[in-house]
Amino acid sequence: MTYFTRASAYTPGGIGNVGPGLDVLGAAVTGAGDTVVAEWCDSPGVTIREAGHPDLPTDAARHSSGVAALAVVRA
């Protein structure tokens, strides 16, 4: 049986749920979408190598992608 050690997923970005007015003032769109790469490693837990922006945390418990990944690992 073959096991993959790396997988990636791309999703196109959108602002369809942003309404007119104050919502638009806080929105920043950078690029056409996001790609997430998951890679198997020997250490337990979730490690974020690149947070996507210098101001975002690399601590999995404080990053939205890390929180989601931790929930999957726990399940």
Side-chain angles (χ1 to χ4, degrees), residues 25-50:
L25 297 177
V29 179
T30 57
D34 286 318
T35 301
V36 174
V37 178
E39 198 170 10
W40 182 263
C41 64
D42 292 330
S43 59
V46 174
T47 302
I48 297 178
R49 291 185 182 174
E50 295 179 31

Side-chain angles (χ1 to χ4, degrees), residues 42-75:
D42 292 330
S43 59
V46 174
T47 302
I48 297 178
R49 291 185 182 174
E50 295 179 31
H53 189 275
D55 292 339
L56 294 175
T58 55
D59 177 10
R62 296 183 55 230
H63 191 284
S64 60
S65 296
V67 171
L70 287 167
V72 169
V73 169
R74 286 186 196 116

